[in-house]
Amino acid sequence: MLPLFFLPLLYLFIFKSNNNNKYKQIFPLFIFLAITLRFLTIIASPKPVIDVFTLLKEAPQKLLQGKNPYQEVYSPVYQGVITDNFSYWPFSFLLQIPLIILFKDPRILLIIADISGAILIYLIGKKSLQSKLLSLIYLFRPNSLFMIEQSWQTPLFSFLTFMLFISIKKSKNFLTGILLAVIGGIHHYYLILTILTYHLWKNKKTVFAAFLAVFCPVIGIFLLWQPSVFIEKTILFYLQPIDKLKTIPIHLSLNLNTAFYTLTGFDLPTWLTSIILVVITVFLFAKLFSNRKILIRKNLLMIIIFFYFFYFLFRQSFIYYYYYAGSLLIFFTANLFSSEE
């Protein structure tokens, strides 16, 4: 019911704030509403029936007990399925440790990242009315509370990616390397950002050194702890035949393969979709590099387009993947109101 009470304030904020400064103070109230709704979501759904929640909650606890999170069996979630499929990379649970110790819920970190991402959109848009509206769009998208409730890490990925492009813009080379390491260290898919932003790094040696200094020791510890288990859980898991991925409803994902399977009863070959993606990527970035001056905004737009194509062709693309691309699109739009490139 809370959003209904805020509708009159939304009208005043959109249509009256340009003419009356007192209505500009309504914006923090909407931030407060967004925070409140997220915590109410956690209260209403203290234990969602999804393996991501259980894995992100219990993995830090396993590590604090001196156990390897990649070797452990977790609390059962789905009937008849053993929960031992921790496929995220180490930073996914390392970042959660303080919040799990304090609150016993991995979604607190996601709420912090979500609200912080909205504030970055507001700041990058120079605190204009447009940037405020984009922040509210970011926070109040129809599935925003669903992302938090299900414990999907998209808000964290979005916030870290926003920080990445801000650090690149500000020539914070060491921070750029750290952010790339953390993003790639949560899920290996996003190591692609290291390649797609390489030409924007002002001091490539510093960025690369910072990346290696953070990424290699952390990943190396868990790789050396039990090499075969780590590789099986974090890489080979995604290369398994579709019929063996019991916890992932492949044919309910939002991509080209699902449509093809629905019509024909067969899956598209992975090699075919991979070739199509490579061709599209080369075309996109060839257009980018055709200009002598590579603009950060244009590069961000190319990356957004790349991710939309990647998710469309990837066999495990669900709503939270597209939600991430949508978040980047909102951030890109806010950048248009910035005088800086």
Side-chain angles (χ1 to χ4, degrees), residues 252-272:
L252 294 178
S253 57
L254 308 172
N255 54 25
L256 181 62
N257 182 66
T258 297
F260 186 81
Y261 178 84
T262 302
L263 294 172
T264 67
F266 298 98
D267 292 291
L268 285 170
T270 303
W271 63 265
L272 177 60

mmCIF file with all atom_site columns, all heavy atoms in Angstrom, residues 252-272:
data_model
loop_
_atom_site.group_PDB
_atom_site.id
_atom_site.type_symbol
_atom_site.label_atom_id
_atom_site.label_alt_id
_atom_site.label_comp_id
_atom_site.label_asym_id
_atom_site.label_entity_id
_atom_site.label_seq_id
_atom_site.pdbx_PDB_ins_code
_atom_site.Cartn_x
_atom_site.Cartn_y
_atom_site.Cartn_z
_atom_site.occupancy
_atom_site.B_iso_or_equiv
_atom_site.pdbx_formal_charge
_atom_site.auth_seq_id
_atom_site.auth_comp_id
_atom_site.auth_asym_id
_atom_site.auth_atom_id
_atom_site.pdbx_PDB_model_num
ATOM 1   N N   . LEU A 1 252 ? 13.188 -22.568 -20.047 1.00 0.00 ? 252 LEU A N   1
ATOM 2   C CA  . LEU A 1 252 ? 12.335 -21.463 -19.622 1.00 0.00 ? 252 LEU A CA  1
ATOM 3   C C   . LEU A 1 252 ? 13.101 -20.146 -19.662 1.00 0.00 ? 252 LEU A C   1
ATOM 4   O O   . LEU A 1 252 ? 12.578 -19.116 -19.242 1.00 0.00 ? 252 LEU A O   1
ATOM 5   C CB  . LEU A 1 252 ? 11.816 -21.709 -18.198 1.00 0.00 ? 252 LEU A CB  1
ATOM 6   C CG  . LEU A 1 252 ? 10.855 -22.899 -18.019 1.00 0.00 ? 252 LEU A CG  1
ATOM 7   C CD1 . LEU A 1 252 ? 10.461 -23.046 -16.559 1.00 0.00 ? 252 LEU A CD1 1
ATOM 8   C CD2 . LEU A 1 252 ? 9.611  -22.738 -18.886 1.00 0.00 ? 252 LEU A CD2 1
ATOM 9   N N   . SER A 1 253 ? 14.336 -20.178 -20.121 1.00 0.00 ? 253 SER A N   1
ATOM 10  C CA  . SER A 1 253 ? 15.146 -18.964 -20.183 1.00 0.00 ? 253 SER A CA  1
ATOM 11  C C   . SER A 1 253 ? 14.708 -18.089 -21.351 1.00 0.00 ? 253 SER A C   1
ATOM 12  O O   . SER A 1 253 ? 14.005 -18.532 -22.259 1.00 0.00 ? 253 SER A O   1
ATOM 13  C CB  . SER A 1 253 ? 16.633 -19.317 -20.296 1.00 0.00 ? 253 SER A CB  1
ATOM 14  O OG  . SER A 1 253 ? 16.868 -20.139 -21.414 1.00 0.00 ? 253 SER A OG  1
ATOM 15  N N   . LEU A 1 254 ? 15.136 -16.842 -21.303 1.00 0.00 ? 254 LEU A N   1
ATOM 16  C CA  . LEU A 1 254 ? 14.672 -15.836 -22.267 1.00 0.00 ? 254 LEU A CA  1
ATOM 17  C C   . LEU A 1 254 ? 15.721 -15.641 -23.351 1.00 0.00 ? 254 LEU A C   1
ATOM 18  O O   . LEU A 1 254 ? 16.534 -14.724 -23.288 1.00 0.00 ? 254 LEU A O   1
ATOM 19  C CB  . LEU A 1 254 ? 14.398 -14.519 -21.533 1.00 0.00 ? 254 LEU A CB  1
ATOM 20  C CG  . LEU A 1 254 ? 13.476 -14.625 -20.317 1.00 0.00 ? 254 LEU A CG  1
ATOM 21  C CD1 . LEU A 1 254 ? 13.435 -13.316 -19.550 1.00 0.00 ? 254 LEU A CD1 1
ATOM 22  C CD2 . LEU A 1 254 ? 12.078 -15.042 -20.738 1.00 0.00 ? 254 LEU A CD2 1
ATOM 23  N N   . ASN A 1 255 ? 15.722 -16.514 -24.346 1.00 0.00 ? 255 ASN A N   1
ATOM 24  C CA  . ASN A 1 255 ? 16.748 -16.425 -25.373 1.00 0.00 ? 255 ASN A CA  1
ATOM 25  C C   . ASN A 1 255 ? 16.284 -17.072 -26.671 1.00 0.00 ? 255 ASN A C   1
ATOM 26  O O   . ASN A 1 255 ? 15.172 -17.609 -26.768 1.00 0.00 ? 255 ASN A O   1
ATOM 27  C CB  . ASN A 1 255 ? 18.044 -17.086 -24.885 1.00 0.00 ? 255 ASN A CB  1
ATOM 28  C CG  . ASN A 1 255 ? 17.810 -18.510 -24.412 1.00 0.00 ? 255 ASN A CG  1
ATOM 29  O OD1 . ASN A 1 255 ? 16.874 -19.172 -24.828 1.00 0.00 ? 255 ASN A OD1 1
ATOM 30  N ND2 . ASN A 1 255 ? 18.667 -18.976 -23.522 1.00 0.00 ? 255 ASN A ND2 1
ATOM 31  N N   . LEU A 1 256 ? 17.151 -17.042 -27.653 1.00 0.00 ? 256 LEU A N   1
ATOM 32  C CA  . LEU A 1 256 ? 16.844 -17.595 -28.967 1.00 0.00 ? 256 LEU A CA  1
ATOM 33  C C   . LEU A 1 256 ? 16.678 -19.110 -28.906 1.00 0.00 ? 256 LEU A C   1
ATOM 34  O O   . LEU A 1 256 ? 15.819 -19.680 -29.584 1.00 0.00 ? 256 LEU A O   1
ATOM 35  C CB  . LEU A 1 256 ? 17.963 -17.223 -29.948 1.00 0.00 ? 256 LEU A CB  1
ATOM 36  C CG  . LEU A 1 256 ? 17.797 -17.700 -31.397 1.00 0.00 ? 256 LEU A CG  1
ATOM 37  C CD1 . LEU A 1 256 ? 16.545 -17.080 -32.024 1.00 0.00 ? 256 LEU A CD1 1
ATOM 38  C CD2 . LEU A 1 256 ? 19.038 -17.330 -32.210 1.00 0.00 ? 256 LEU A CD2 1
ATOM 39  N N   . ASN A 1 257 ? 17.485 -19.771 -28.081 1.00 0.00 ? 257 ASN A N   1
ATOM 40  C CA  . ASN A 1 257 ? 17.425 -21.230 -28.003 1.00 0.00 ? 257 ASN A CA  1
ATOM 41  C C   . ASN A 1 257 ? 16.069 -21.715 -27.508 1.00 0.00 ? 257 ASN A C   1
ATOM 42  O O   . ASN A 1 257 ? 15.545 -22.727 -27.991 1.00 0.00 ? 257 ASN A O   1
ATOM 43  C CB  . ASN A 1 257 ? 18.531 -21.756 -27.088 1.00 0.00 ? 257 ASN A CB  1
ATOM 44  C CG  . ASN A 1 257 ? 18.548 -23.274 -27.021 1.00 0.00 ? 257 ASN A CG  1
ATOM 45  O OD1 . ASN A 1 257 ? 18.823 -23.936 -28.010 1.00 0.00 ? 257 ASN A OD1 1
ATOM 46  N ND2 . ASN A 1 257 ? 18.217 -23.817 -25.865 1.00 0.00 ? 257 ASN A ND2 1
ATOM 47  N N   . THR A 1 258 ? 15.501 -21.001 -26.535 1.00 0.00 ? 258 THR A N   1
ATOM 48  C CA  . THR A 1 258 ? 14.187 -21.398 -26.016 1.00 0.00 ? 258 THR A CA  1
ATOM 49  C C   . THR A 1 258 ? 13.133 -21.338 -27.110 1.00 0.00 ? 258 THR A C   1
ATOM 50  O O   . THR A 1 258 ? 12.300 -22.247 -27.247 1.00 0.00 ? 258 THR A O   1
ATOM 51  C CB  . THR A 1 258 ? 13.782 -20.499 -24.834 1.00 0.00 ? 258 THR A CB  1
ATOM 52  O OG1 . THR A 1 258 ? 14.720 -20.669 -23.768 1.00 0.00 ? 258 THR A OG1 1
ATOM 53  C CG2 . THR A 1 258 ? 12.391 -20.833 -24.344 1.00 0.00 ? 258 THR A CG2 1
ATOM 54  N N   . ALA A 1 259 ? 13.163 -20.280 -27.901 1.00 0.00 ? 259 ALA A N   1
ATOM 55  C CA  . ALA A 1 259 ? 12.208 -20.165 -29.006 1.00 0.00 ? 259 ALA A CA  1
ATOM 56  C C   . ALA A 1 259 ? 12.419 -21.281 -30.019 1.00 0.00 ? 259 ALA A C   1
ATOM 57  O O   . ALA A 1 259 ? 11.455 -21.907 -30.499 1.00 0.00 ? 259 ALA A O   1
ATOM 58  C CB  . ALA A 1 259 ? 12.370 -18.802 -29.675 1.00 0.00 ? 259 ALA A CB  1
ATOM 59  N N   . PHE A 1 260 ? 13.679 -21.556 -30.339 1.00 0.00 ? 260 PHE A N   1
ATOM 60  C CA  . PHE A 1 260 ? 13.998 -22.605 -31.311 1.00 0.00 ? 260 PHE A CA  1
ATOM 61  C C   . PHE A 1 260 ? 13.565 -23.973 -30.785 1.00 0.00 ? 260 PHE A C   1
ATOM 62  O O   . PHE A 1 260 ? 12.986 -24.779 -31.519 1.00 0.00 ? 260 PHE A O   1
ATOM 63  C CB  . PHE A 1 260 ? 15.507 -22.596 -31.597 1.00 0.00 ? 260 PHE A CB  1
ATOM 64  C CG  . PHE A 1 260 ? 15.925 -23.529 -32.693 1.00 0.00 ? 260 PHE A CG  1
ATOM 65  C CD1 . PHE A 1 260 ? 15.787 -23.168 -34.023 1.00 0.00 ? 260 PHE A CD1 1
ATOM 66  C CD2 . PHE A 1 260 ? 16.466 -24.774 -32.389 1.00 0.00 ? 260 PHE A CD2 1
ATOM 67  C CE1 . PHE A 1 260 ? 16.178 -24.025 -35.043 1.00 0.00 ? 260 PHE A CE1 1
ATOM 68  C CE2 . PHE A 1 260 ? 16.867 -25.644 -33.396 1.00 0.00 ? 260 PHE A CE2 1
ATOM 69  C CZ  . PHE A 1 260 ? 16.714 -25.268 -34.725 1.00 0.00 ? 260 PHE A CZ  1
ATOM 70  N N   . TYR A 1 261 ? 13.815 -24.219 -29.503 1.00 0.00 ? 261 TYR A N   1
ATOM 71  C CA  . TYR A 1 261 ? 13.444 -25.502 -28.895 1.00 0.00 ? 261 TYR A CA  1
ATOM 72  C C   . TYR A 1 261 ? 11.921 -25.671 -28.860 1.00 0.00 ? 261 TYR A C   1
ATOM 73  O O   . TYR A 1 261 ? 11.392 -26.763 -29.103 1.00 0.00 ? 261 TYR A O   1
ATOM 74  C CB  . TYR A 1 261 ? 14.014 -25.583 -27.483 1.00 0.00 ? 261 TYR A CB  1
ATOM 75  C CG  . TYR A 1 261 ? 13.654 -26.855 -26.751 1.00 0.00 ? 261 TYR A CG  1
ATOM 76  C CD1 . TYR A 1 261 ? 14.398 -28.014 -26.931 1.00 0.00 ? 261 TYR A CD1 1
ATOM 77  C CD2 . TYR A 1 261 ? 12.563 -26.884 -25.869 1.00 0.00 ? 261 TYR A CD2 1
ATOM 78  C CE1 . TYR A 1 261 ? 14.062 -29.192 -26.261 1.00 0.00 ? 261 TYR A CE1 1
ATOM 79  C CE2 . TYR A 1 261 ? 12.222 -28.050 -25.206 1.00 0.00 ? 261 TYR A CE2 1
ATOM 80  C CZ  . TYR A 1 261 ? 12.976 -29.196 -25.407 1.00 0.00 ? 261 TYR A CZ  1
ATOM 81  O OH  . TYR A 1 261 ? 12.640 -30.353 -24.742 1.00 0.00 ? 261 TYR A OH  1
ATOM 82  N N   . THR A 1 262 ? 11.216 -24.584 -28.540 1.00 0.00 ? 262 THR A N   1
ATOM 83  C CA  . THR A 1 262 ? 9.755  -24.640 -28.479 1.00 0.00 ? 262 THR A CA  1
ATOM 84  C C   . THR A 1 262 ? 9.153  -24.991 -29.834 1.00 0.00 ? 262 THR A C   1
ATOM 85  O O   . THR A 1 262 ? 8.167  -25.726 -29.932 1.00 0.00 ? 262 THR A O   1
ATOM 86  C CB  . THR A 1 262 ? 9.195  -23.290 -27.988 1.00 0.00 ? 262 THR A CB  1
ATOM 87  O OG1 . THR A 1 262 ? 9.757  -22.982 -26.702 1.00 0.00 ? 262 THR A OG1 1
ATOM 88  C CG2 . THR A 1 262 ? 7.679  -23.329 -27.866 1.00 0.00 ? 262 THR A CG2 1
ATOM 89  N N   . LEU A 1 263 ? 9.764  -24.480 -30.899 1.00 0.00 ? 263 LEU A N   1
ATOM 90  C CA  . LEU A 1 263 ? 9.246  -24.708 -32.251 1.00 0.00 ? 263 LEU A CA  1
ATOM 91  C C   . LEU A 1 263 ? 9.676  -26.044 -32.841 1.00 0.00 ? 263 LEU A C   1
ATOM 92  O O   . LEU A 1 263 ? 8.926  -26.673 -33.596 1.00 0.00 ? 263 LEU A O   1
ATOM 93  C CB  . LEU A 1 263 ? 9.704  -23.576 -33.176 1.00 0.00 ? 263 LEU A CB  1
ATOM 94  C CG  . LEU A 1 263 ? 9.131  -22.177 -32.874 1.00 0.00 ? 263 LEU A CG  1
ATOM 95  C CD1 . LEU A 1 263 ? 9.814  -21.127 -33.743 1.00 0.00 ? 263 LEU A CD1 1
ATOM 96  C CD2 . LEU A 1 263 ? 7.626  -22.157 -33.088 1.00 0.00 ? 263 LEU A CD2 1
ATOM 97  N N   . THR A 1 264 ? 10.889 -26.499 -32.499 1.00 0.00 ? 264 THR A N   1
ATOM 98  C CA  . THR A 1 264 ? 11.433 -27.685 -33.176 1.00 0.00 ? 264 THR A CA  1
ATOM 99  C C   . THR A 1 264 ? 11.664 -28.878 -32.259 1.00 0.00 ? 264 THR A C   1
ATOM 100 O O   . THR A 1 264 ? 11.771 -30.012 -32.733 1.00 0.00 ? 264 THR A O   1
ATOM 101 C CB  . THR A 1 264 ? 12.778 -27.336 -33.835 1.00 0.00 ? 264 THR A CB  1
ATOM 102 O OG1 . THR A 1 264 ? 13.754 -27.052 -32.818 1.00 0.00 ? 264 THR A OG1 1
ATOM 103 C CG2 . THR A 1 264 ? 12.642 -26.121 -34.762 1.00 0.00 ? 264 THR A CG2 1
ATOM 104 N N   . GLY A 1 265 ? 11.802 -28.641 -30.953 1.00 0.00 ? 265 GLY A N   1
ATOM 105 C CA  . GLY A 1 265 ? 12.124 -29.722 -30.034 1.00 0.00 ? 265 GLY A CA  1
ATOM 106 C C   . GLY A 1 265 ? 13.610 -29.991 -29.938 1.00 0.00 ? 265 GLY A C   1
ATOM 107 O O   . GLY A 1 265 ? 14.035 -30.937 -29.260 1.00 0.00 ? 265 GLY A O   1
ATOM 108 N N   . PHE A 1 266 ? 14.431 -29.151 -30.585 1.00 0.00 ? 266 PHE A N   1
ATOM 109 C CA  . PHE A 1 266 ? 15.888 -29.317 -30.556 1.00 0.00 ? 266 PHE A CA  1
ATOM 110 C C   . PHE A 1 266 ? 16.541 -28.039 -30.038 1.00 0.00 ? 266 PHE A C   1
ATOM 111 O O   . PHE A 1 266 ? 15.980 -26.942 -30.141 1.00 0.00 ? 266 PHE A O   1
ATOM 112 C CB  . PHE A 1 266 ? 16.430 -29.629 -31.960 1.00 0.00 ? 266 PHE A CB  1
ATOM 113 C CG  . PHE A 1 266 ? 15.904 -30.907 -32.536 1.00 0.00 ? 266 PHE A CG  1
ATOM 114 C CD1 . PHE A 1 266 ? 14.837 -30.896 -33.427 1.00 0.00 ? 266 PHE A CD1 1
ATOM 115 C CD2 . PHE A 1 266 ? 16.469 -32.130 -32.197 1.00 0.00 ? 266 PHE A CD2 1
ATOM 116 C CE1 . PHE A 1 266 ? 14.342 -32.069 -33.962 1.00 0.00 ? 266 PHE A CE1 1
ATOM 117 C CE2 . PHE A 1 266 ? 15.989 -33.310 -32.729 1.00 0.00 ? 266 PHE A CE2 1
ATOM 118 C CZ  . PHE A 1 266 ? 14.919 -33.289 -33.604 1.00 0.00 ? 266 PHE A CZ  1
ATOM 119 N N   . ASP A 1 267 ? 17.763 -28.194 -29.499 1.00 0.00 ? 267 ASP A N   1
ATOM 120 C CA  . ASP A 1 267 ? 18.529 -27.048 -29.024 1.00 0.00 ? 267 ASP A CA  1
ATOM 121 C C   . ASP A 1 267 ? 19.487 -26.573 -30.111 1.00 0.00 ? 267 ASP A C   1
ATOM 122 O O   . ASP A 1 267 ? 19.995 -27.377 -30.903 1.00 0.00 ? 267 ASP A O   1
ATOM 123 C CB  . ASP A 1 267 ? 19.341 -27.428 -27.777 1.00 0.00 ? 267 ASP A CB  1
ATOM 124 C CG  . ASP A 1 267 ? 18.445 -27.692 -26.586 1.00 0.00 ? 267 ASP A CG  1
ATOM 125 O OD1 . ASP A 1 267 ? 17.841 -26.723 -26.092 1.00 0.00 ? 267 ASP A OD1 1
ATOM 126 O OD2 . ASP A 1 267 ? 18.350 -28.856 -26.158 1.00 0.00 ? 267 ASP A OD2 1
ATOM 127 N N   . LEU A 1 268 ? 19.718 -25.270 -30.126 1.00 0.00 ? 268 LEU A N   1
ATOM 128 C CA  . LEU A 1 268 ? 20.713 -24.719 -31.039 1.00 0.00 ? 268 LEU A CA  1
ATOM 129 C C   . LEU A 1 268 ? 22.108 -25.149 -30.598 1.00 0.00 ? 268 LEU A C   1
ATOM 130 O O   . LEU A 1 268 ? 22.396 -25.164 -29.400 1.00 0.00 ? 268 LEU A O   1
ATOM 131 C CB  . LEU A 1 268 ? 20.633 -23.191 -31.054 1.00 0.00 ? 268 LEU A CB  1
ATOM 132 C CG  . LEU A 1 268 ? 19.452 -22.562 -31.803 1.00 0.00 ? 268 LEU A CG  1
ATOM 133 C CD1 . LEU A 1 268 ? 19.385 -21.071 -31.502 1.00 0.00 ? 268 LEU A CD1 1
ATOM 134 C CD2 . LEU A 1 268 ? 19.593 -22.788 -33.302 1.00 0.00 ? 268 LEU A CD2 1
ATOM 135 N N   . PRO A 1 269 ? 22.990 -25.491 -31.529 1.00 0.00 ? 269 PRO A N   1
ATOM 136 C CA  . PRO A 1 269 ? 24.372 -25.843 -31.156 1.00 0.00 ? 269 PRO A CA  1
ATOM 137 C C   . PRO A 1 269 ? 25.081 -24.656 -30.508 1.00 0.00 ? 269 PRO A C   1
ATOM 138 O O   . PRO A 1 269 ? 24.971 -23.519 -30.994 1.00 0.00 ? 269 PRO A O   1
ATOM 139 C CB  . PRO A 1 269 ? 25.015 -26.210 -32.496 1.00 0.00 ? 269 PRO A CB  1
ATOM 140 C CG  . PRO A 1 269 ? 23.886 -26.471 -33.422 1.00 0.00 ? 269 PRO A CG  1
ATOM 141 C CD  . PRO A 1 269 ? 22.741 -25.614 -32.966 1.00 0.00 ? 269 PRO A CD  1
ATOM 142 N N   . THR A 1 270 ? 25.801 -24.910 -29.431 1.00 0.00 ? 270 THR A N   1
ATOM 143 C CA  . THR A 1 270 ? 26.521 -23.845 -28.738 1.00 0.00 ? 270 THR A CA  1
ATOM 144 C C   . THR A 1 270 ? 27.558 -23.197 -29.644 1.00 0.00 ? 270 THR A C   1
ATOM 145 O O   . THR A 1 270 ? 27.762 -21.972 -29.589 1.00 0.00 ? 270 THR A O   1
ATOM 146 C CB  . THR A 1 270 ? 27.201 -24.403 -27.474 1.00 0.00 ? 270 THR A CB  1
ATOM 147 O OG1 . THR A 1 270 ? 26.222 -25.004 -26.632 1.00 0.00 ? 270 THR A OG1 1
ATOM 148 C CG2 . THR A 1 270 ? 27.903 -23.294 -26.711 1.00 0.00 ? 270 THR A CG2 1
ATOM 149 N N   . TRP A 1 271 ? 28.202 -23.996 -30.482 1.00 0.00 ? 271 TRP A N   1
ATOM 150 C CA  . TRP A 1 271 ? 29.232 -23.446 -31.371 1.00 0.00 ? 271 TRP A CA  1
ATOM 151 C C   . TRP A 1 271 ? 28.630 -22.435 -32.352 1.00 0.00 ? 271 TRP A C   1
ATOM 152 O O   . TRP A 1 271 ? 29.274 -21.441 -32.694 1.00 0.00 ? 271 TRP A O   1
ATOM 153 C CB  . TRP A 1 271 ? 29.948 -24.562 -32.141 1.00 0.00 ? 271 TRP A CB  1
ATOM 154 C CG  . TRP A 1 271 ? 29.079 -25.370 -33.071 1.00 0.00 ? 271 TRP A CG  1
ATOM 155 C CD1 . TRP A 1 271 ? 28.470 -26.562 -32.788 1.00 0.00 ? 271 TRP A CD1 1
ATOM 156 C CD2 . TRP A 1 271 ? 28.717 -25.042 -34.421 1.00 0.00 ? 271 TRP A CD2 1
ATOM 157 N NE1 . TRP A 1 271 ? 27.747 -27.009 -33.873 1.00 0.00 ? 271 TRP A NE1 1
ATOM 158 C CE2 . TRP A 1 271 ? 27.887 -26.094 -34.891 1.00 0.00 ? 271 TRP A CE2 1
ATOM 159 C CE3 . TRP A 1 271 ? 29.008 -23.984 -35.274 1.00 0.00 ? 271 TRP A CE3 1
ATOM 160 C CZ2 . TRP A 1 271 ? 27.343 -26.098 -36.173 1.00 0.00 ? 271 TRP A CZ2 1
ATOM 161 C CZ3 . TRP A 1 271 ? 28.471 -23.986 -36.557 1.00 0.00 ? 271 TRP A CZ3 1
ATOM 162 C CH2 . TRP A 1 271 ? 27.654 -25.026 -36.999 1.00 0.00 ? 271 TRP A CH2 1
ATOM 163 N N   . LEU A 1 272 ? 27.385 -22.667 -32.773 1.00 0.00 ? 272 LEU A N   1
ATOM 164 C CA  . LEU A 1 272 ? 26.749 -21.763 -33.725 1.00 0.00 ? 272 LEU A CA  1
ATOM 165 C C   . LEU A 1 272 ? 26.444 -20.410 -33.086 1.00 0.00 ? 272 LEU A C   1
ATOM 166 O O   . LEU A 1 272 ? 26.763 -19.355 -33.658 1.00 0.00 ? 272 LEU A O   1
ATOM 167 C CB  . LEU A 1 272 ? 25.456 -22.386 -34.256 1.00 0.00 ? 272 LEU A CB  1
ATOM 168 C CG  . LEU A 1 272 ? 24.633 -21.515 -35.225 1.00 0.00 ? 272 LEU A CG  1
ATOM 169 C CD1 . LEU A 1 272 ? 25.442 -21.170 -36.461 1.00 0.00 ? 272 LEU A CD1 1
ATOM 170 C CD2 . LEU A 1 272 ? 23.334 -22.229 -35.601 1.00 0.00 ? 272 LEU A CD2 1
#
